[in-house]
Amino acid sequence: MTTKTWNFTLEGKPHTLILEHKWLSGKRSVILDGQLLESIPPSLFASGSVHEYEVDGHSLVAVIQEKPASFAYDLLVDGVSLDTGERGPQRVGNTSLQGAIALAVMIFFIGLGISIWQKISYDKRLAIQEWPVVTGKITSLGVDYHADTNDDDTDDSYYHAILTVNCSFAKIIG
């Protein structure tokens, strides 16, 4: 979470504006002099935004500008940046286009992952279908235990099933 704080004076009265931005979820809060002015809930995509207020007859504009891998923050008082002293940005960014591109990329990768998973599952099902089916009768069942005979610290002991089946391979079905 990024918290940006600006201290400024309007008409001789000191003010503090705090902008809290959870860039991963997109949740935002704007607090002026300890009072919550605005709380924006989380959204699917965090993007740039503009938050406009009027205080003591002056215009306050908190700007969150989306950058390629980060965000830039500024507060404009009557159109002038408190950080740079220059006139504020004319454009915050084409956030709807950026959000649409991010959504398309995310959907592509999810689809690719699902396709790969289905291909692997299909190959396993296909391999199982190629196994021969035989008829037979189980004549004995058992379990064999193999103990670790190595001197190292690894446990190489295992159990395996012993199954004796009386069947005729001449009766392969399929």
Side-chain angles (χ1 to χ4, degrees):
M1 177 171 80
T2 299
T3 301
K4 182 72 177 172
T5 303
W6 291 277
N7 294 303
F8 57 97
T9 303
L10 294 175
E11 306 293 329
K13 183 178 175 187
H15 295 280
T16 300
L17 188 128
I18 300 170
L19 174 64
E20 296 174 342
H21 180 215
K22 293 184 179 179
W23 53 267
L24 191 56
S25 72
K27 182 178 181 182
R28 298 167 179 124
S29 298
V30 181
I31 302 161
L32 178 66
D33 299 330
Q35 297 288 335
L36 180 66
L37 294 179
E38 186 174 15
S39 179
I40 298 171
S43 62
L44 183 58
F45 293 103
S47 61
S49 60
V50 175
H51 308 273
E52 299 181 43
Y53 311 98
E54 187 172 318
V55 176
D56 296 335
H58 295 274
S59 167
L60 296 182
V61 180
V63 178
I64 301 173
Q65 187 161 3
E66 191 170 3
K67 300 290 184 183
S70 64
F71 292 91
Y73 305 92
D74 201 359
L75 179 63
L76 309 176
V77 177
D78 295 329
V80 177
S81 168
L82 287 184
D83 292 339
T84 65
E86 298 176 3
R87 299 291 298 164
Q90 300 300 312
R91 180 177 164 280
V92 174
N94 190 352
T95 57
S96 61
L97 177 61
Q98 291 168 345
I101 291 170
L103 179 61
V105 169
M106 183 177 77
I107 289 171
F108 170 78
F109 282 111
I110 289 172
L112 181 64
I114 290 171
S115 297
I116 291 170
W117 174 75
Q118 286 190 336
K119 171 71 171 126
I120 292 169
S121 297
Y122 175 77
D123 289 346
K124 287 180 182 178
R125 286 192 306 272
L126 189 61
I128 291 170
Q129 289 174 354
E130 293 174 359
W131 292 353
V133 177
V134 296
T135 58
K137 182 178 180 182
I138 298 174
T139 56
S140 70
L141 284 171
V143 177
D144 184 33
Y145 172 73
H146 176 74
D148 182 10
T149 58
N150 297 333
D151 291 334
D152 59 5
D153 291 337
T154 60
D155 184 13
D156 293 332
S157 302
Y158 61 89
Y159 293 90
H160 68 272
I162 300 173
L163 178 67
T164 306
V165 179
N166 186 6
C167 62
S168 170
F169 286 102
K171 295 183 178 182
I172 296 178
I173 301 171

